[in-house]
């Protein structure tokens, strides 16, 4: 599935929720249900330090596509990490570099991607793109 | 507990009307502001003082011969005098206006660059805010002085036995906060100052967290330096004071060069102004300085005894109610503390709790509170910190407790 289509799918999914509490409950369940990183990769080399919560991101490059696994110590952050992985993982480096994160605004979670929030998510997105850029340069 | 009877003597509803922000809503809920340790809200009289200054007598001070300049100078210097009286400081020239506590600490640290020698020792408490750690680390790097840490115990209290062991004739400076911003502990600064003076060391007390709760008498206290920030005391941001004993202030070199701080300037030599202007280079923060004086008047009208008494009731009630929540642990359990409660709930990240509380209109702080060494001591990533002011209510504590219970259900 293309990044744009996945983002549309997430927006539709969130449209069912009537209020913030349902949206958050959904995110929390996303955060809880996903074992999203291998324990061996949850180390400082892959750690993005936010002031408030920590995020780990581990990249792999297979058959021209980038695969990410990730984790966070805070469950709400982890829920958003899960959404971001759904969008950015299993994509080509080029598509990752061209993608934006406007869908996060549309599903009412904008505040979590504010640079002042210091939860590691803004740095995480930068990091995803950095990995994509690195793999792209391998291809060329 | 009958919460109504508690608030009769102290008319909190009347006080709340002085603070326009307290009637706003956040995320659809009435604002419950419990981040007072970060900054206090401002009463209308303080906001009015700022508007009045800019509307009616804005002018640069100290040098103008015109009437506006004279009026502004008088108001600014009256504010300094109010601050002197509030803290029972002996001389007005011992009151230096600064941009706040951080600025004041950096001013003193910078002044000690020429005084310290390699091998001299400084003592920092384990309970400090980063702003009372980093400037001294920088000073040590530059001078070769050694930073020693006065440790804390599990309750968040300083270890005074260890303090005696650390003190020696090598000790030149001791710096401790009056009250810990992260845990609320009131430190035994009288004893700390007395013991430091016995070995000839100077003491700087960071009063940023204390001065909204208590009114220190600086002559009795006998600290060499004492600092505070107006914004935590119902005053504006960007202004605070450094109190220093005249002898010390005379000894320290100026911090910044510029206008206001000079007596005479030629390209060959500049002589510096007398205290306090020697440390006040450039056009000062006139409006905020004046409004700081108004904030002190406001607090003194309510009275610090009444404030402390009411806040202690809030602290006691909140502690009792919070501890009823299963899995909740409070960090900082000294018998001597102010209305700050730092806590975590088992297996839940403080960031998650803070996020849900915000959605419910409750402002608390989450994270390390600029005191990472304390978090390392407890081996936690941070805490949720609820800090209460005299305009908070028992009802707001009930709202907080219910919201935490809701967050806990959502997050587990």
């Amino acid at each position: 599935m293309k990044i744009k289509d996945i983002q549309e799918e997430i927006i539709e999914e969130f449209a069912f929720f009537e209020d913030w509490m349902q949206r958050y409950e959904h995110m929390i369940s996303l955060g809880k249900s996903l074992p999203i990183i291998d324990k061996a990769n949850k180390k400082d080399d892959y750690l993005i330090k936010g002031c408030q919560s920590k995020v780990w991101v581990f990249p792999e490059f297979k058959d021209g596509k980038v695969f990410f696994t990730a984790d966070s110590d805070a469950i709400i952050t982890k829920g958003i990490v899960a959404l971001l992985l759904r969008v950015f993982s299993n994509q080509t480096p080029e598509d990752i570099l061209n993608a934006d994160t406007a869908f996060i605004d549309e599903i009412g979670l904008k505040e979590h991607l504010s640079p002042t929030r210091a939860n590691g998510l803004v740095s995480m997105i930068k990091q995803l793109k950095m990995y994509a850029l690195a793999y792209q340069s391998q291809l060329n | 507990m009958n919460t109504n009877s508690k608030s009769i003597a102290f008319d909190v509803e009347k006080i709340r009307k002085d603070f326009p922000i307290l009637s706003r809503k956040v995320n659809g809920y009435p604002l419950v502001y419990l981040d007072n340790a970060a900054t206090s809200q401002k009463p209308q009289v303080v906001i009015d003082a700022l508007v009045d200054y800019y509307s009616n007598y804005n002018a640069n001070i100290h040098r103008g011969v015109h009437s506006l300049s004279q009026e502004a100078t008088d108001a600014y210097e009256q504010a300094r005098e109010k601050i002197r009286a509030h803290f029972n400081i002996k001389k007005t020239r011992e009151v230096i206006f600064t941009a706040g506590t951080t600025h004041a600490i950096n001013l003193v640290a910078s002044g000690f660059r020429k005084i310290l020698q390699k091998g001299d020792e400084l003592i920092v408490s384990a309970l400090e805010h980063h702003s009372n750690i980093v400037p001294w680390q920088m000073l040590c790097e530059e001078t070769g002085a050694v930073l020693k840490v006065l440790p804390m115990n599990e309750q968040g209290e300083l270890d005074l036995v260890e303090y005696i062991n650390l003190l020696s004739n090598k000790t030149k400076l001791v710096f401790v906060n009056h009250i810990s911003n992260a845990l609320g502990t009131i430190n035994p600064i009288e004893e700390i100052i007395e013991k430091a003076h016995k070995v000839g060391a100077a003491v700087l007390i960071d009063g940023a967290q204390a001065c909204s709760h208590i009114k220190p008498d600086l002559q009795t206290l006998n600290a060499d330096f004492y600092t505070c920030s107006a914004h935590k005391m119902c005053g504006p941001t960007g202004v605070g004071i450094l109190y220093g004993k005249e002898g010390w202030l005379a000894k320290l070199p100026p911090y910044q060069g510029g206008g206001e701080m000079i007596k005479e300037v030629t390209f060959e030599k500049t002589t510096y102004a007398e205290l306090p202007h020697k440390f006040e280079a450039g056009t000062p923060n006139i409006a905020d300085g004046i409004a700081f004086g108004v904030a002190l008047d406001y607090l003194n009208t309510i009275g610090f005894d009444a404030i402390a008494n009411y806040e202690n009731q809030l602290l006691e009630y909140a502690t009792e109610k919070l501890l009823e929540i299963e899995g909740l642990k409070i960090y900082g359990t000294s018998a001597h503390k102010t209305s700050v409660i730092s806590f975590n709930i088992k297996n839940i990240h403080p960031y998650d709790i803070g996020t849900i509380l915000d959605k419910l209109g409750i402002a608390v702080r989450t994270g390390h509170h600029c005191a990472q060494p304390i978090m390392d001591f407890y081996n936690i990533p941070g805490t949720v910190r609820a800090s209460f002011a005299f305009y908070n209510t028992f009802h707001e504590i009930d709202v907080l407790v219910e919201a935490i219970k809701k967050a806990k259900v959502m997050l587990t």
Side-chain angles (χ1 to χ4, degrees):
Chain A
M1 237 169 136
K2 285 282 177 199
I3 285 185
K4 212 64 204 157
D5 298 331
I6 300 171
Q7 291 180 341
E8 285 301 321
E9 191 183 79
I10 293 172
I11 292 165
E12 270 174 41
E13 207 173 286
F14 272 76
F16 283 110
F17 302 126
E18 284 166 6
D19 56 18
W20 72 268
M21 211 177 282
Q22 289 183 356
R23 285 201 300 275
Y24 272 69
E25 274 167 355
H26 181 60
M27 289 224 309
I28 291 161
S29 69
L30 286 177
K32 278 183 202 162
S33 62
L34 285 175
I36 47 187
I37 198 166
D38 196 271
K39 218 176 171 185
N41 295 327
K42 203 172 161 179
K43 52 187 183 187
D44 281 357
D45 290 352
Y46 303 111
L47 173 65
I48 298 164
K49 265 194 182 165
C51 189
Q52 297 256 349
S53 55
K54 294 176 181 172
V55 175
W56 292 263
V57 176
F58 179 73
E60 282 170 290
F61 193 45
K62 277 186 287 196
D63 306 326
K65 286 185 171 178
V66 191
F67 294 83
F68 295 110
T69 45
D71 201 358
S72 174
D73 57 349
I75 197 82
I76 293 173
T77 306
K78 194 172 166 183
I80 297 172
V81 166
L83 287 175
L84 290 170
L85 289 200
R86 206 164 124 194
V87 170
F88 286 98
S89 189
N90 192 12
Q91 301 291 342
T92 64
E94 193 188 353
D95 286 349
I96 293 170
L97 288 168
N98 290 331
D100 65 31
T101 53
F103 79 102
I104 293 283
D105 289 17
E106 290 198 41
I107 61 174
L109 300 172
K110 186 179 154 192
E111 69 263 30
H112 294 280
L113 289 195
S114 148
T116 54
R117 190 93 181 182
N119 53 12
L121 284 172
V122 172
S123 310
M124 174 189 165
I125 293 165
K126 263 189 217 151
Q127 194 65 40
L128 298 182
K129 297 211 169 205
M130 289 293 282
Y131 284 129
L133 191 64
Y135 292 131
Q136 195 185 37
S137 63
Q138 280 180 23
L139 285 176
N140 295 336
Chain B
M1 179 186 286
N2 181 348
T3 58
N4 289 331
S5 68
K6 287 280 182 188
S7 50
I8 286 170
F10 189 84
D11 193 349
V12 70
E13 288 309 324
K14 183 166 170 278
I15 285 170
R16 287 178 70 81
K17 292 200 177 79
D18 296 335
F19 293 80
I21 207 169
L22 296 180
S23 57
R24 72 160 278 186
K25 288 190 167 184
V26 169
N27 294 323
Y29 294 88
L31 166 66
V32 174
Y33 185 77
L34 302 177
D35 194 17
N36 295 287
T39 198
S40 65
Q41 296 302 343
K42 319 305 172 199
Q44 190 64 49
V45 284
V46 169
I47 300 165
D48 288 347
L50 294 169
V51 174
D52 181 39
Y53 169 77
Y54 287 116
S55 309
N56 295 312
Y57 62 102
N58 170 51
N60 211 332
I61 58 171
H62 292 145
R63 291 176 299 273
V65 291
H66 59 81
S67 300
L68 288 189
S69 176
Q70 202 52 57
E71 281 176 36
T73 304
D74 288 349
Y76 189 68
E77 290 306 324
Q78 274 165 20
R80 195 194 303 271
E81 176 54 27
K82 272 181 200 172
I83 293 163
R84 185 208 62 75
H86 176 84
F87 289 101
N88 191 28
I89 291 167
K90 202 168 179 183
K91 301 165 188 167
T92 309
R93 58 180 175 273
E94 292 173 323
V95 180
I96 314 293
F97 274 115
T98 66
T101 299
T102 300
H103 177 201
I105 293 170
N106 277 281
L107 188 161
V108 177
S110 167
F112 269 86
R113 281 189 296 194
K114 291 234 169 76
I115 295 173
L116 289 185
Q117 302 194 344
K118 197 169 180 222
D120 283 346
E121 292 179 359
L122 313 183
I123 298 177
V124 60
S125 99
L127 279 172
E128 297 313 297
H129 188 283
H130 296 163
S131 65
N132 204 18
I133 301 173
V134 183
W136 307 110
Q137 281 176 327
M138 289 161 68
L139 177 66
C140 287
E141 273 174 29
E142 204 171 319
T143 58
V146 182
L147 195 60
K148 302 259 175 179
V149 181
L150 164 55
M152 61 184 261
N153 64 18
E154 191 66 27
Q155 286 73 43
E157 296 165 328
L158 295 175
D159 180 347
L160 290 187
V161 176
E162 186 53 28
Y163 179 53
I164 306 291
N165 295 334
L166 287 173
L167 282 169
S168 74
N169 57 10
K170 285 190 200 161
T171 314
K172 295 293 176 268
L173 258 172
V174 177
F175 26 95
V176 181
N177 55 30
H178 195 163
I179 290 177
S180 156
N181 74 303
L183 306 179
T185 316
I186 304 172
N187 289 317
I189 56 170
E190 296 81 359
E191 201 176 334
I192 287 170
I193 294 166
E194 192 201 329
K195 298 271 184 339
H197 284 168
K198 280 196 176 142
V199 298
V203 183
L204 178 141
I205 302 294
D206 167 357
Q209 205 53 236
C211 292
S212 54
H213 304 289
I214 45 186
K215 183 173 175 172
D217 178 329
L218 293 189
Q219 284 187 64
T220 310
L221 196 57
N222 202 23
D224 302 279
F225 302 97
Y226 194 99
T227 71
C228 72
S229 299
H231 74 92
K232 293 194 202 278
M233 307 167 68
C234 296
T237 54
V239 69
I241 61 140
L242 167 67
Y243 155 78
K245 283 183 184 165
E246 190 177 14
W248 274 114
L249 293 177
K251 208 182 285 180
L252 299 187
Y255 179 45
Q256 292 176 320
E260 285 269 346
M261 53 77 74
I262 51 93
K263 190 182 274 173
E264 212 170 358
V265 177
T266 68
F267 283 109
E268 287 71 40
K269 187 175 167 57
T270 292
T271 48
Y272 303 125
E274 302 292 325
L275 289 171
H277 306 293
K278 171 180 156 188
F279 292 107
E280 295 180 352
T283 296
N285 190 347
I286 305 164
D288 293 325
I290 293 168
F292 184 13
V294 174
L296 287 180
D297 288 343
Y298 177 80
L299 291 172
N300 281 312
T301 304
I302 297 171
F304 276 81
D305 287 344
I307 287 172
N309 180 37
Y310 179 70
E311 287 178 345
N312 284 338
Q313 289 175 30
L314 289 176
L315 174 67
E316 205 176 300
Y317 182 69
T319 306
E320 185 189 314
K321 288 283 161 188
L322 286 171
L323 287 175
E324 285 171 11
I325 299 172
E326 207 191 315
L328 187 143
K329 179 176 177 181
I330 292 177
Y331 298 91
T333 49
S334 170
H336 306 284
K337 66 180 275 190
T338 44
S339 48
V340 170
I341 302 182
S342 239
F343 66 91
N344 274 331
I345 294 175
K346 204 175 175 185
N347 298 328
I348 303 182
H349 198 284
Y351 176 80
D352 290 324
I353 295 174
T355 301
I356 303 292
L357 294 185
D358 170 58
K359 283 285 172 192
L360 294 164
I362 301 168
V364 291
R365 182 131 302 220
T366 61
H368 53 58
H369 319 298
C370 293
Q372 280 180 353
I374 299 178
M375 303 302 130
D376 291 346
F377 175 87
Y378 290 117
N379 196 22
I380 51 176
T383 66
V384 182
R385 183 187 69 187
S387 50
F388 311 98
F390 58 90
Y391 44 71
N392 288 125
T393 65
F394 293 94
H395 171 68
E396 286 180 310
I397 292 168
D398 293 338
V399 172
L400 169 72
V401 170
E402 285 313 307
I404 293 170
K405 285 181 185 165
K406 193 179 256 182
K408 195 183 156 198
V409 171
M410 285 178 79
L411 294 162
T412 38

